[in-house]
Amino acid sequence: MTTMTLPKIVFTGPPGAGKTTAIAMLSDIPPVVTDVRNTDPTLAKELTTVGLDFGQVDLAGGRCVQLFGTPGQLRFEFMWQIIATDALGLVILLDNSRPDPLDDLSTCLDAYRHLLPTMNCAVGIGRTAEFPQPAIDRFSDLLAERGLALPVLPVDVRRREDVLLLVDTVLIQGEMRA
């Protein structure tokens, strides 16, 4: 199987949601990252992605999946569409400790509105143990208001099993549509 034919899953979400961490946690190869020193004072992090992240994971049965991560800042929104081209699925990562994670979800839904009706997609909510509000149901309600029925899962992107669950969820959706 050549690299051109490998399924591609895109991790997207706001800055600090854990896209780079998730890909690094799951990738079986050293991930490619385009992090630079953060100069945005509104982001409480030292480094931020300005291009894309890339990794690759070998799954059971000899299946291999490419993992791509988008930059989170809105000024790089043009990259989101480029990276999502020809993707098998999308993982939207959100951080429940951010000021308005429901608005973060709305931003992602707006950005990918033309893809979501036919795109395999799962939503992962991080830091729900420390920040239980908004509750997972609120995210599901927002999706339902937009006519979307997507799985919403609490995750810790530092745990390989959690990230693998998101990828498996997207892959299962793809199998069900085939």
Side-chain angles (χ1 to χ4, degrees), residues 27-39:
S27 184
D28 291 325
I29 63 171
V32 175
V33 297
T34 58
D35 285 357
V36 298
R37 188 167 174 268
N38 177 38
T39 58

Side-chain angles (χ1 to χ4, degrees), residues 9 11 26 59 65 67 91 163-171:
I9 295 179
F11 286 73
L26 196 56
L59 302 172
V65 177
L67 311 168
V91 172
V163 180
L164 190 55
L165 178 60
L166 290 168
V167 168
D168 284 343
T169 300
V170 168
L171 291 172

Side-chain angles (χ1 to χ4, degrees), residues 16 18 25 29 36 70 92 104 106-107 131 150 155 164 171 176:
M25 184 55 57
I29 63 171
V36 298
T70 66
I92 299 173
D104 291 337
S106 290
T107 298
F131 299 90
L150 303 175
V155 297
L164 190 55
L171 291 172
M176 291 173 59

Side-chain angles (χ1 to χ4, degrees), residues 3-69:
T3 304
M4 296 297 287
T5 62
L6 293 178
K8 169 180 164 180
I9 295 179
V10 175
F11 286 73
T12 195
K19 300 173 296 290
T20 300
T21 301
I23 290 171
M25 184 55 57
L26 196 56
S27 184
D28 291 325
I29 63 171
V32 175
V33 297
T34 58
D35 285 357
V36 298
R37 188 167 174 268
N38 177 38
T39 58
D40 183 344
T42 65
L43 301 178
K45 56 190 265 181
E46 183 181 338
L47 299 174
T48 191
T49 302
V50 294
L52 61 84
D53 296 322
F54 174 78
Q56 190 169 289
V57 62
D58 295 316
L59 302 172
R63 190 169 193 184
C64 187
V65 177
Q66 294 179 328
L67 311 168
F68 285 80

Side-chain angles (χ1 to χ4, degrees), residues 7 63 88 118-120 169-178:
R63 190 169 193 184
L88 170 70
T118 58
M119 173 77 71
N120 306 310
T169 300
V170 168
L171 291 172
I172 289 168
Q173 290 173 356
E175 291 169 4
M176 291 173 59
R177 290 181 193 228

